[in-house]
Coordinates of all heavy atoms in Angstrom, one line a residue:
F289 N 25.1 -2.1 0.5 CA 23.8 -1.6 0.0 C 23.6 -0.1 0.3 O 23.2 0.6 -0.6 CB 22.7 -2.4 0.7 CG 21.3 -2.1 0.3 CD1 20.7 -2.6 -0.8 CD2 20.5 -1.2 1.1 CE1 19.4 -2.3 -1.2 CE2 19.2 -0.8 0.7 CZ 18.7 -1.4 -0.4
E293 N 23.5 3.2 -2.3 CA 22.4 4.2 -2.3 C 23.0 5.6 -2.2 O 22.5 6.5 -2.8 CB 21.5 3.9 -1.2 CG 20.6 2.7 -1.4 CD 19.4 2.6 -0.5 OE1 19.6 3.1 0.7 OE2 18.3 2.2 -0.9
V296 N 24.3 6.6 -5.5 CA 23.1 7.0 -6.3 C 22.5 8.3 -5.9 O 22.2 9.2 -6.8 CB 22.1 5.9 -6.3 CG1 20.8 6.3 -7.1 CG2 22.6 4.6 -6.9
L297 N 22.4 8.6 -4.6 CA 21.8 9.8 -4.2 C 22.7 11.0 -4.6 O 22.2 12.1 -4.9 CB 21.7 9.8 -2.6 CG 20.6 8.9 -2.0 CD1 20.7 8.8 -0.5 CD2 19.2 9.5 -2.4
I300 N 22.2 11.6 -8.2 CA 20.9 12.2 -8.5 C 20.9 13.7 -8.1 O 20.4 14.6 -8.8 CB 19.8 11.5 -7.7 CG1 19.6 10.1 -8.3 CG2 18.5 12.3 -7.6 CD1 18.7 9.2 -7.5
W328 N 19.1 10.2 4.9 CA 18.8 9.0 4.2 C 19.2 7.7 4.9 O 18.4 6.8 5.0 CB 19.3 9.0 2.8 CG 19.0 7.8 2.0 CD1 19.7 6.7 1.8 CD2 17.7 7.5 1.5 NE1 19.0 5.7 1.2 CE2 17.8 6.2 0.9 CE3 16.5 8.2 1.4 CZ2 16.7 5.6 0.3 CZ3 15.4 7.6 0.8 CH2 15.5 6.3 0.2
I340 N 16.5 -7.8 2.1 CA 15.7 -8.3 0.9 C 15.5 -9.8 1.1 O 16.4 -10.6 1.0 CB 16.5 -8.1 -0.4 CG1 16.8 -6.6 -0.6 CG2 15.7 -8.6 -1.6 CD1 17.6 -6.2 -1.8
Y346 N 9.2 -8.5 -6.3 CA 9.8 -7.2 -6.7 C 8.9 -6.1 -6.4 O 9.3 -5.0 -6.1 CB 10.1 -7.3 -8.2 CG 11.3 -8.2 -8.5 CD1 11.0 -9.4 -9.1 CD2 12.6 -7.9 -8.2 CE1 12.1 -10.3 -9.4 CE2 13.6 -8.7 -8.5 CZ 13.4 -9.9 -9.1 OH 14.4 -10.8 -9.4
Y347 N 7.6 -6.4 -6.4 CA 6.6 -5.3 -6.0 C 6.8 -4.9 -4.6 O 6.8 -3.7 -4.3 CB 5.2 -5.8 -6.2 CG 4.1 -4.9 -5.7 CD1 3.9 -3.7 -6.3 CD2 3.5 -5.2 -4.5 CE1 2.9 -2.8 -5.8 CE2 2.6 -4.3 -4.0 CZ 2.3 -3.1 -4.6 OH 1.3 -2.2 -4.1
N348 N 7.1 -5.8 -3.7 CA 7.4 -5.4 -2.3 C 8.6 -4.5 -2.2 O 8.6 -3.6 -1.4 CB 7.5 -6.7 -1.5 CG 7.6 -6.4 0.0 OD1 6.6 -6.0 0.6 ND2 8.8 -6.5 0.6
T349 N 9.7 -4.9 -3.0 CA 10.9 -4.0 -3.0 C 10.5 -2.6 -3.5 O 11.0 -1.6 -3.0 CB 12.0 -4.7 -3.8 OG1 12.3 -6.0 -3.2 CG2 13.2 -3.8 -3.9
F350 N 9.8 -2.6 -4.6 CA 9.4 -1.3 -5.1 C 8.5 -0.5 -4.1 O 8.8 0.7 -4.0 CB 8.5 -1.6 -6.4 CG 7.9 -0.3 -7.0 CD1 8.6 0.5 -7.8 CD2 6.6 0.0 -6.7 CE1 8.0 1.7 -8.3 CE2 6.0 1.1 -7.2 CZ 6.7 1.9 -8.0
K351 N 7.6 -1.2 -3.4 CA 6.8 -0.5 -2.4 C 7.6 0.1 -1.3 O 7.4 1.2 -0.9 CB 5.7 -1.4 -1.9 CG 4.7 -0.8 -1.0 CD 3.6 -1.8 -0.7 CE 4.0 -2.9 0.1 NZ 2.8 -3.8 0.6
K352 N 8.6 -0.7 -0.8 CA 9.5 -0.2 0.3 C 10.3 1.0 -0.2 O 10.5 1.9 0.6 CB 10.4 -1.3 0.8 CG 9.7 -2.4 1.6 CD 10.7 -3.4 2.2 CE 11.5 -2.7 3.3 NZ 12.4 -3.7 4.0
A353 N 10.8 0.9 -1.4 CA 11.6 2.0 -2.0 C 10.7 3.3 -2.1 O 11.1 4.4 -1.7 CB 12.1 1.6 -3.3
F354 N 9.5 3.1 -2.6 CA 8.6 4.2 -2.7 C 8.3 4.9 -1.4 O 8.2 6.1 -1.2 CB 7.3 3.8 -3.4 CG 6.6 4.8 -4.1 CD1 6.8 5.2 -5.4 CD2 5.6 5.6 -3.5 CE1 6.2 6.2 -6.1 CE2 4.9 6.6 -4.1 CZ 5.2 6.9 -5.5
F355 N 8.1 4.0 -0.4 CA 7.7 4.5 1.0 C 8.9 5.3 1.5 O 8.8 6.4 2.1 CB 7.4 3.4 1.9 CG 7.1 3.8 3.3 CD1 6.0 4.5 3.7 CD2 8.0 3.5 4.3 CE1 5.8 4.9 5.0 CE2 7.8 3.8 5.6 CZ 6.7 4.6 5.9
S356 N 10.1 4.8 1.4 CA 11.3 5.4 1.9 C 11.6 6.8 1.3 O 11.9 7.8 1.9 CB 12.6 4.5 1.7 OG 12.5 3.4 2.5
V357 N 11.4 6.8 0.0 CA 11.6 8.1 -0.8 C 10.5 9.1 -0.4 O 10.8 10.3 -0.2 CB 11.5 7.8 -2.3 CG1 11.5 9.2 -3.1 CG2 12.7 7.0 -2.7
F358 N 9.3 8.6 -0.1 CA 8.2 9.5 0.3 C 8.5 10.1 1.6 O 8.3 11.4 1.8 CB 6.9 8.7 0.4 CG 5.7 9.5 0.8 CD1 5.0 10.3 -0.1 CD2 5.2 9.4 2.1 CE1 3.9 11.0 0.3 CE2 4.2 10.2 2.5 CZ 3.5 11.0 1.6
L384 N 14.7 17.0 -8.3 CA 15.3 16.0 -7.4 C 14.2 15.0 -7.0 O 14.5 13.8 -6.9 CB 15.8 16.8 -6.1 CG 16.4 15.9 -5.0 CD1 17.7 15.3 -5.4 CD2 16.6 16.8 -3.7
V385 N 13.0 15.4 -6.7 CA 11.9 14.5 -6.3 C 11.7 13.4 -7.4 O 11.6 12.2 -7.2 CB 10.7 15.2 -6.0 CG1 9.5 14.3 -5.8 CG2 10.8 16.0 -4.7
L386 N 11.6 13.9 -8.6 CA 11.3 13.0 -9.8 C 12.4 12.0 -10.0 O 12.1 10.8 -10.2 CB 11.0 13.8 -11.0 CG 9.8 14.8 -11.0 CD1 9.7 15.6 -12.3 CD2 8.5 13.9 -10.9
L387 N 13.6 12.5 -9.9 CA 14.8 11.6 -10.1 C 14.9 10.6 -9.0 O 15.3 9.4 -9.2 CB 16.0 12.4 -10.3 CG 16.1 13.2 -11.6 CD1 17.5 13.9 -11.7 CD2 15.9 12.3 -12.9
L388 N 14.6 11.0 -7.8 CA 14.7 10.1 -6.6 C 13.7 9.0 -6.8 O 14.1 7.8 -6.6 CB 14.5 10.9 -5.3 CG 15.6 11.6 -4.7 CD1 15.2 12.4 -3.5 CD2 16.7 10.6 -4.3
F389 N 12.5 9.3 -7.1 CA 11.4 8.3 -7.2 C 11.8 7.3 -8.4 O 11.6 6.1 -8.3 CB 10.1 8.9 -7.5 CG 9.3 9.3 -6.3 CD1 9.1 10.6 -6.0 CD2 8.9 8.4 -5.4 CE1 8.4 11.0 -4.9 CE2 8.2 8.7 -4.2 CZ 8.0 10.1 -4.0
L390 N 12.4 7.8 -9.4 CA 12.7 7.0 -10.6 C 14.0 6.1 -10.3 O 13.9 4.9 -10.4 CB 12.9 7.9 -11.8 CG 13.4 7.1 -13.1 CD1 12.3 6.2 -13.5 CD2 13.7 8.1 -14.2
W391 N 15.1 6.8 -10.1 CA 16.4 6.1 -10.1 C 16.6 5.3 -8.8 O 17.3 4.2 -8.8 CB 17.5 7.0 -10.4 CG 17.5 7.5 -11.8 CD1 17.1 8.7 -12.3 CD2 17.8 6.6 -12.9 NE1 17.2 8.7 -13.7 CE2 17.6 7.4 -14.1 CE3 18.1 5.3 -13.1 CZ2 17.7 6.9 -15.4 CZ3 18.3 4.8 -14.4 CH2 18.1 5.6 -15.5
L392 N 16.2 5.8 -7.7 CA 16.4 5.0 -6.4 C 15.5 3.7 -6.5 O 16.0 2.7 -6.0 CB 16.0 5.9 -5.2 CG 16.7 5.4 -3.9 CD1 18.2 5.5 -4.1 CD2 16.3 6.2 -2.7
T393 N 14.3 3.8 -7.0 CA 13.5 2.6 -7.2 C 14.2 1.7 -8.1 O 14.2 0.4 -7.9 CB 12.1 3.0 -7.7 OG1 11.5 3.9 -6.8 CG2 11.2 1.8 -7.8
I394 N 14.7 2.2 -9.2 CA 15.4 1.3 -10.2 C 16.6 0.6 -9.5 O 16.9 -0.6 -9.7 CB 15.9 2.1 -11.4 CG1 14.7 2.5 -12.3 CG2 16.9 1.3 -12.3 CD1 15.0 3.4 -13.4
Y395 N 17.4 1.4 -8.7 CA 18.5 0.9 -8.0 C 18.1 -0.3 -7.1 O 18.7 -1.4 -7.1 CB 19.2 1.9 -7.2 CG 20.2 1.4 -6.2 CD1 21.5 1.0 -6.6 CD2 19.9 1.3 -4.8 CE1 22.4 0.5 -5.7 CE2 20.8 0.8 -3.9 CZ 22.1 0.4 -4.3 OH 23.0 -0.1 -3.4
R396 N 17.0 -0.1 -6.3 CA 16.6 -1.1 -5.3 C 16.2 -2.4 -6.1 O 16.5 -3.5 -5.7 CB 15.4 -0.6 -4.5 CG 15.7 0.5 -3.6 CD 16.2 -0.1 -2.2 NE 16.4 1.0 -1.3 CZ 15.5 1.5 -0.5 NH1 14.2 1.0 -0.6 NH2 15.7 2.4 0.4
V397 N 15.4 -2.2 -7.1 CA 14.9 -3.4 -7.9 C 16.1 -4.1 -8.5 O 16.1 -5.3 -8.6 CB 13.8 -3.0 -8.9 CG1 13.4 -4.2 -9.8 CG2 12.6 -2.4 -8.2
S398 N 17.1 -3.3 -9.0 CA 18.2 -3.9 -9.6 C 19.0 -4.7 -8.6 O 19.5 -5.8 -8.9 CB 19.1 -2.8 -10.2 OG 18.4 -2.1 -11.2
V399 N 19.2 -4.2 -7.4 CA 19.9 -4.9 -6.4 C 19.2 -6.2 -6.0 O 19.8 -7.3 -5.9 CB 20.1 -4.1 -5.1 CG1 20.6 -4.9 -3.9 CG2 21.0 -2.9 -5.4
H400 N 17.9 -6.1 -5.9 CA 17.0 -7.3 -5.7 C 17.3 -8.4 -6.8 O 17.4 -9.6 -6.5 CB 15.6 -6.9 -5.6 CG 14.7 -8.0 -5.2 ND1 13.4 -7.8 -4.7 CD2 14.8 -9.4 -5.1 CE1 12.8 -8.9 -4.4 NE2 13.7 -9.9 -4.6
L401 N 17.3 -7.9 -8.0 CA 17.5 -8.8 -9.2 C 18.8 -9.5 -9.1 O 19.0 -10.7 -9.3 CB 17.3 -8.1 -10.5 CG 17.5 -8.9 -11.8 CD1 16.5 -10.0 -11.9 CD2 17.4 -7.9 -13.0
I712 N 0.4 3.3 -5.0 CA 0.4 3.4 -6.5 C -1.0 3.3 -7.0 O -1.4 4.1 -8.0 CB 1.3 2.3 -7.1 CG1 2.7 2.5 -6.6 CG2 1.3 2.4 -8.7 CD1 3.4 3.8 -7.0

Side-chain angles (χ1 to χ4, degrees):
F289 179 85
E293 286 195 328
V296 172
L297 286 170
I300 290 173
W328 180 260
I340 301 177
Y346 291 104
Y347 171 73
N348 188 71
T349 297
F350 172 82
K351 185 170 67 172
K352 285 187 70 174
F354 203 88
F355 175 71
S356 294
V357 173
F358 179 79
L384 180 68
V385 169
L386 294 176
L387 291 184
L388 276 173
F389 275 114
L390 176 64
W391 288 108
L392 204 62
T393 302
I394 291 175
Y395 168 78
R396 291 275 185 86
V397 174
S398 299
V399 170
H400 189 164
L401 178 62
I712 300 299

